[in-house]
Amino acid sequence: MADYPTSFDKEALLACARGELFGPGNAQLPLPPMLMMDRITDISGDGGEHGKGHVTAEFDITPDLWFFECHFPGNPIMPGCLGLDGLWQLTGFNLGWRGWPGRGYALGVGEVKLTGMVRPDRRMLTYRVDFTKAVQTRRLTMGVADGTVHADGEMIYQVKDMKVALSES
């Protein structure tokens, strides 16, 4: 396991997006506006519900976020796919945080349930990723995880079997 902190502020997340945190050719977060979190509050390689690692992060919701203007005019809602992307981003971040080399790629998700919406009056999303498997071999680096998104404490998204891989090619 690499020796990184267990929490990250916005500046550290932006450094990761610029490729400065884990080094060139390794896991990166996207830059804003696609960066779907403001801070990582906790991360581990052996914690979480299954003892295989976890990540917890937060995203501050403000009425001026870019997606509210276009999705949908007169009925602003954060696209559910952006919440899923936030979970994928955190899954890949955890693999880089472990010190595993390669760039991250989302491979899929087994099940997605959207039971609530993010409207401009929400204040904060809390992401939780719990790894069910984290594998690093000569040929494969991959994480499989379940995740949830809570809006102001209410669970609104739940996913099972997210898959993210790291590739050096």
Side-chain angles (χ1 to χ4, degrees):
M1 197 80 50
D3 190 26
Y4 293 109
T6 57
S7 62
F8 295 84
D9 63 12
K10 183 73 171 256
E11 286 308 310
L13 299 179
L14 292 172
C16 181
R18 294 187 299 266
E20 300 165 3
L21 184 61
F22 303 131
N26 291 317
Q28 260 179 277
L29 291 168
L31 285 166
M34 287 303 298
L35 179 63
M36 296 307 299
M37 71 225 46
D38 290 307
R39 67 203 141 268
I40 291 175
T41 58
D42 195 30
I43 186 169
S44 76
D46 59 1
E49 199 173 308
H50 308 285
K52 305 210 185 247
H54 82 286
V55 188
T56 305
E58 297 172 341
F59 184 40
D60 298 323
I61 301 299
T62 59
D64 63 344
L65 285 167
W66 66 274
F67 44 78
F68 286 134
E69 185 177 326
C70 58
H71 190 271
F72 297 96
N75 185 26
I77 301 167
M78 178 178 135
C81 60
L82 293 180
L84 174 59
D85 198 66
L87 292 167
W88 269 325
Q89 290 173 23
L90 290 164
T91 303
F93 185 93
N94 182 285
L95 299 177
W97 177 86
R98 293 170 190 249
W100 295 356
R103 296 182 187 272
Y105 299 94
L107 297 177
V109 62
E111 182 180 325
V112 178
K113 291 182 183 177
L114 307 178
T115 57
M117 293 183 273
V118 181
R119 295 191 178 276
D121 62 343
R122 297 286 194 166
R123 295 291 161 240
M124 187 172 66
L125 298 185
T126 304
Y127 296 96
R128 175 74 182 200
V129 173
D130 284 299
F131 281 77
T132 57
K133 185 185 293 187
V135 178
Q136 185 190 35
T137 67
R138 240 176 356 102
R139 297 181 55 204
L140 176 69
T141 300
M142 184 175 77
V144 181
D146 298 335
T148 59
V149 179
H150 287 77
D152 300 333
E154 172 193 350
M155 187 188 320
I156 58 166
Y157 306 159
Q158 185 174 12
V159 303
K160 299 273 185 207
D161 296 323
M162 287 183 294
K163 294 174 184 72
V164 172
L166 298 183
S167 174
E168 295 185 66
S169 57

